[in-house]
Amino acid sequence: MDQSRVLRFIGQVETCRVVLLMVLVVAFVSGLQYFELSPVLLSIVSPGNSTISEFRKSNDTTKSAENETFLASQEASTGLKPYNRTTEVLKSSEHKFLNDSHKIEASGQRRRSNETASSLHPLQPKIPQIRKKYPHRSITKPPSIVISIKQMNNMILKRHNDPKNSLAPLWGSKVDQELKTARDKIKKAALVKKDDTLYAPLYHNISIFKRSYELMEQTLKVYVYSEGDRPIFHQPEAIMEGIYASEGWFMKLMESSHRFLTKDPTKAHLFYIPFSSRILQQKLYVHDSHSRNNLVKYLGNYVDLIASNYPSWNRTCGSDHFFTACHDWAPTETRGPYINCIRALCNADVGIDFVVGKDVSLPETKVSSLQNPNGKIGGSRPSKRTILAFFAGSLHGYVRPILLNQWSSRPEQDMKIFNRIDHKSYIRYMKRSRFCVCAKGYEVNSPRVVESILYGCVPVIISDNFVPPFLEILNWESFAVFVPEKEIPNLRKILISIPVRRYVEMQKRVLKVQKHFMWHDGEPVRYDIFHMILHSVWYNRVFQTF
């Protein structure tokens, strides 16, 4: 009896072992199948993600894994997934609005297709993201890769001469041929030996700039969308003072321009989206929520609106549209459907996702008075500027504390490096200093760059990967000093090594370049900041039309 029980027990144990072994084998095989098929399953379950798998395959063959990291960071920050550019969009007449449901659906597909960033960033430096949990917070350490001004200039030239970077329109238009004609004329510009208005050493090529500017005046037409609710859209007077004033001043002058505006969208070379990133943040951001999803959604809904009412957005996937945005958050808020647009951004950080040669660096101008937006420009002549270098400001970010710790208590009397000081003293120091330090705060941009120029002080820019305004045209190294962040301990040594004759010439060029950074109330003046911003947009658009 006992023996039969033992035998029965042994049989049960063996059966359990066999069953357990079978379970393990099935689990192992299932695991292998899952990992082999997961990309396929992902493309089936999630519509549009086939682009991601194709993107990964291409990366395996081109050794561009960093681009996948860049794309993933954009998905994480915006909540938008990339889509391949659809080819099945109805080619309706440019003279008709899209009213029927089929066309609206097509425009929605086109809007979502704009969320692809990889195809438009082949020249973007492969720089890993170093943002913290919340993308709008400051970078707390230096970038892992630093792009020099020379490298940025080379990136612009390469992008402007590579047809692969052009997003071809779905159907042709007369304006495309006009842009191509302008491009050919600019490239064949006659040599300018001397000009009474423009000072040649300020520019990479004065002949190219002069011809491009003339063609802009003769050719360019801009259509401004009337859609959009105030105050986020169409209310420049709400944002014409303070450090975000560039948004308001450009919007006001663009919407009232007699030379450049057209009421016929079929004749437009560019389309302006008149919104304020600062007002957007003020009206929609929920304090301490650490989420900007509602801001991104609001802007996305606007694209849906214009894409369903006009053929212009769908024709070019938004690549002939532009906007100006000076708030720090604007780059991440406009990554999704706006990524193909020409984005004029104050926070022009080539280490994040600013695309040199497509996007435009918007000058950050601090306006204290609507009646006198440029302030009391000018300053002492070079021989009376007895202070070697000056800086004052709040300790935002990681660079300024290093700057103050290194230089605020040093015995050298010619280095005036302070925390915050009163505004009158601030201006007085700028007008008496040879070099004005423009150290980055939370982001790469600073109003000190323009302030330095207006007060006749040579800018010393300490902000790795900052793209200075109008880099497509201006030779910044001819009138400004760029000091890598790691060289802050050697700041004084770098500045005193500049010969006096060289400094005097740089200061002269600063005075010559002032006109490009001045606002004018009423009617804009040739070559002023309004026209320079518009020219940078025009220039980048022309040289991405093949």
Side-chain angles (χ1 to χ4, degrees):
M1 188 72 173
D2 293 337
Q3 185 176 4
S4 63
R5 288 181 178 178
V6 170
L7 291 174
R8 188 183 306 162
F9 176 74
I10 293 174
Q12 291 175 347
V13 170
E14 290 299 324
T15 301
C16 291
R17 290 177 60 186
V18 172
V19 171
L20 179 61
L21 181 61
M22 292 176 64
V23 170
L24 291 174
V25 171
V26 171
F28 179 74
V29 173
S30 299
L32 287 177
Q33 291 176 342
Y34 172 79
F35 285 112
E36 285 184 16
L37 298 177
S38 59
V40 178
L41 293 174
L42 181 63
S43 64
I44 295 173
V45 174
S46 183
N49 275 345
S50 59
T51 305
I52 297 179
S53 60
E54 293 171 7
F55 181 70
R56 287 172 177 166
K57 289 178 183 178
S58 66
N59 282 356
D60 290 338
T61 58
T62 59
K63 202 176 181 180
S64 302
E66 294 89 345
N67 279 346
E68 185 175 340
T69 303
F70 176 79
L71 191 59
S73 69
Q74 291 197 350
E75 289 183 43
S77 62
T78 63
L80 297 169
K81 290 183 171 56
Y83 282 76
N84 242 343
R85 186 165 178 257
T86 180
T87 58
E88 299 299 327
V89 179
L90 184 64
K91 299 182 179 180
S92 60
S93 170
E94 293 178 332
H95 299 277
K96 296 180 181 180
F97 290 142
L98 304 177
N99 293 321
D100 60 88
S101 59
H102 178 70
K103 294 179 182 179
I104 292 175
E105 181 181 357
S107 71
Q109 293 175 356
R110 288 291 296 174
R111 203 277 277 182
R112 289 189 293 273
S113 74
N114 293 349
E115 293 156 16
T116 299
S118 59
S119 63
L120 295 183
H121 288 69
L123 298 179
Q124 192 67 5
K126 312 298 192 302
I127 299 175
Q129 301 295 294
I130 55 174
R131 293 280 182 176
K132 293 299 181 180
K133 180 177 180 181
Y134 305 114
H136 63 271
R137 292 192 174 181
S138 63
I139 297 176
T140 57
K141 60 181 180 179
S144 57
I145 298 177
V146 177
I147 307 299
S148 68
I149 296 298
K150 182 178 179 180
Q151 288 173 310
M152 293 180 196
N153 285 321
N154 290 336
M155 291 165 67
I156 292 173
L157 292 174
K158 188 174 181 181
R159 186 175 187 89
H160 285 178
N161 288 281
D162 190 350
K164 294 179 181 178
N165 297 308
S166 174
L167 191 61
L170 281 187
W171 62 88
S173 172
K174 180 181 178 182
V175 296
D176 298 331
Q177 188 56 51
E178 290 172 349
L179 290 173
K180 292 176 184 178
T181 301
R183 176 190 173 93
D184 293 339
K185 289 181 178 179
I186 293 170
K187 295 180 76 171
K188 298 175 182 178
L191 181 65
V192 176
K193 296 182 179 181
K194 186 179 179 181
D195 189 271
D196 295 334
T197 305
L198 305 175
Y199 186 57
L202 293 176
Y203 312 99
H204 295 302
N205 188 320
I206 188 175
S207 303
I208 292 291
F209 172 52
K210 185 175 177 64
R211 186 62 175 134
S212 176
Y213 191 94
E214 291 171 350
L215 288 169
M216 179 187 75
E217 290 182 316
Q218 298 167 10
T219 308
L220 177 61
K221 293 300 176 184
V222 179
Y223 183 81
V224 181
Y225 288 111
S226 60
E227 287 78 3
D229 296 329
R230 293 171 178 262
I232 296 175
F233 289 85
H234 304 291
Q235 193 163 326
E237 59 273 12
I239 192 65
M240 293 183 67
E241 290 182 305
I243 62 174
Y244 306 106
S246 293
E247 290 183 349
W249 278 88
F250 184 87
M251 188 187 303
K252 174 192 174 185
L253 297 174
M254 187 74 259
E255 291 193 313
S256 61
S257 173
H258 300 294
R259 177 188 289 272
F260 297 109
L261 289 189
T262 178
K263 294 183 178 180
D264 185 352
T266 65
K267 297 180 179 179
H269 306 90
L270 290 167
F271 295 81
Y272 175 52
I273 302 175
F275 81 95
S276 166
S277 62
R278 171 59 172 169
I279 302 300
L280 178 72
Q281 174 262 329
Q282 288 179 326
K283 296 299 180 182
L284 297 185
Y285 178 67
V286 179
H287 185 63
D288 285 337
S289 67
H290 304 299
S291 172
R292 286 169 292 152
N293 292 337
N294 58 329
L295 282 70
V296 173
K297 183 178 179 181
Y298 184 90
L299 293 177
N301 289 341
Y302 185 79
V303 170
D304 285 335
L305 175 64
I306 61 176
S308 64
N309 288 329
Y310 300 87
S312 51
W313 178 276
N314 301 317
R315 191 182 81 87
T316 63
C317 212
S319 61
D320 56 356
H321 289 58
F322 77 102
F323 57 86
T324 56
C326 209
H327 195 273
D328 289 352
W329 300 355
T332 52
E333 290 168 355
T334 58
R335 282 175 179 168
Y338 292 84
I339 197 65
N340 293 345
C341 295
I342 301 172
R343 305 184 301 166
L345 304 169
C346 287
N347 186 7
D349 188 344
V350 74
I352 303 300
D353 64 353
F354 183 93
V355 184
V356 291
K358 177 184 80 71
D359 295 331
V360 169
S361 179
L362 180 66
E364 182 176 357
T365 57
K366 184 178 180 180
V367 175
S368 300
S369 169
L370 293 177
Q371 291 71 37
N372 186 20
N374 304 307
K376 297 179 180 180
I377 65 172
S380 302
R381 61 180 183 269
S383 61
K384 297 296 183 179
R385 291 180 178 263
T386 57
I387 300 170
L388 177 64
F390 163 69
F391 173 84
S394 300
L395 300 185
H396 298 155
Y398 65 89
V399 168
R400 296 182 186 180
I402 297 174
L403 179 67
L404 264 71
N405 289 338
Q406 186 72 40
W407 293 107
S408 62
S409 58
R410 292 286 290 267
E412 293 87 349
Q413 296 299 311
D414 54 0
M415 298 285 287
K416 303 297 183 182
I417 309 296
F418 307 112
N419 202 328
R420 299 187 65 178
I421 59 176
D422 65 272
H423 188 61
K424 288 185 178 180
S425 299
Y426 179 86
I427 295 176
R428 186 169 64 252
Y429 274 116
M430 274 203 160
K431 292 188 173 187
R432 293 170 50 210
S433 300
R434 280 177 271 170
F435 298 97
C436 289
V437 177
C438 308
K440 67 178 290 184
Y442 289 132
E443 303 295 347
V444 294
N445 50 301
S446 169
R448 288 165 183 78
V449 176
V450 174
E451 288 175 333
S452 300
I453 291 172
L454 294 183
Y455 294 131
C457 187
V458 175
V460 178
I461 299 174
I462 307 179
S463 181
D464 291 349
N465 293 333
F466 171 59
V467 182
F470 318 137
L471 182 60
E472 304 85 2
I473 296 301
L474 294 181
N475 179 14
W476 272 84
E477 291 179 305
S478 72
F479 60 88
V481 180
F482 291 84
V483 176
E485 295 167 8
K486 66 179 181 179
E487 295 295 333
I488 289 177
N490 299 319
L491 177 59
R492 188 174 186 275
K493 184 186 298 184
I494 292 171
L495 297 180
I496 63 176
S497 68
I498 298 174
V500 174
R501 181 177 296 180
R502 167 68 175 163
Y503 161 72
V504 171
E505 178 59 31
M506 292 181 76
Q507 202 269 344
K508 174 184 176 182
R509 295 174 183 179
V510 166
L511 300 180
K512 295 284 188 180
V513 85
Q514 282 178 345
K515 62 174 169 283
H516 295 322
F517 293 91
M518 296 175 64
W519 294 108
H520 293 91
D521 196 12
E523 193 69 23
V525 176
R526 287 193 86 200
Y527 300 115
D528 69 356
I529 189 170
F530 168 77
H531 286 105
M532 290 298 288
I533 294 170
L534 189 60
H535 177 266
S536 285
V537 176
W538 151 265
Y539 190 81
N540 282 352
R541 179 59 186 156
V542 165
F543 278 89
Q544 290 189 101
T545 304
F546 291 89

